[in-house]
Amino acid sequence: SSHSGSVRELHSVRPPQAPCRPTAAMVRISVLRDCLNGICNDEKRGKRQVQVRPNSKAVIKFLQVMQKHGYIGDLEIIDDHRAGKVVVDLVGRINKCGVISPRFDVCLGDIEQLASNILPSRQFGHLVFTTPYGIMDHEEARRKNTGGKIVGFFF
């Protein structure tokens, strides 16, 4: 009985608010932000590939825009019957990529101003918008004569 007393003593030492289960990972606020952060970090470290999880349609579309402009190589989508993963081949062209949150409304006339605010020069860099015609970069949005909400950028 003295043994059980010592066990009870141990329990009383632990502060009451400490959880008994192992602490879970932080809650993901933005899947896309995690993805772009991982890509940016691995690009800086000179990796050839980066695995991004979880997967989402927004992530795929954003990566396809980057791929179209030659900033990343092949995308390999892994369906693991959960949220999925994407393996991205890096080609060493990304200087920075990120998410703009909250997703501000941008009308057609403001795209130019926003681009000059965010991007390093007029010659390169891309803003990514979500428009009624899908996710696209700012040049395509201007060609299609549409505004939208800004999702992120890469250059």
Side-chain angles (χ1 to χ4, degrees), residues 41-49 90:
N41 289 341
D42 282 12
E43 187 75 83
K44 281 179 193 150
R45 291 175 60 185
K47 296 278 190 68
R48 305 308 307 155
Q49 275 188 333
L90 301 177

Side-chain angles (χ1 to χ4, degrees), residues 3 21 36 47 68 78 87 93 110 131-132 142 145 148:
H3 181 70
R21 58 180 172 68
L36 295 182
K47 296 278 190 68
K68 194 176 80 183
I78 301 169
V87 176
R93 271 198 64 189
D110 298 345
T131 69
R142 208 181 288 129
N145 206 38

Side-chain angles (χ1 to χ4, degrees), residues 37-118:
N37 233 343
I39 289 176
C40 213
N41 289 341
D42 282 12
E43 187 75 83
K44 281 179 193 150
R45 291 175 60 185
K47 296 278 190 68
R48 305 308 307 155
Q49 275 188 333
V50 51
Q51 188 184 60
V52 176
R53 51 171 286 270
N55 183 5
S56 78
K57 283 193 288 192
V59 166
I60 296 289
K61 293 278 191 249
F62 197 103
L63 292 175
Q64 279 169 344
V65 173
M66 290 171 78
Q67 189 179 30
K68 194 176 80 183
H69 293 288
Y71 278 76
I72 56 178
D74 287 341
L75 300 176
E76 185 186 343
I77 298 162
I78 301 169
D79 178 26
D80 55 2
H81 300 298
R82 291 178 192 81
K85 300 186 176 98
V86 189
V87 176
V88 183
D89 287 352
L90 301 177
V91 292
R93 271 198 64 189
I94 303 169
N95 298 310
K96 182 110 178 76
C97 59
V99 170
I100 306 288
S101 177
R103 295 182 174 177
F104 293 114
D105 286 322
V106 183
C107 62
L108 189 61
D110 298 345
I111 291 180
E112 190 61 51
Q113 181 61 47
L114 196 66
S116 68
N117 288 351
I118 295 174

Side-chain angles (χ1 to χ4, degrees), residues 118-135:
I118 295 174
L119 301 175
S121 88
R122 295 194 52 167
Q123 278 74 35
F124 78 106
H126 301 275
L127 301 178
V128 180
F129 290 95
T130 172
T131 69
Y133 306 104
I135 294 183

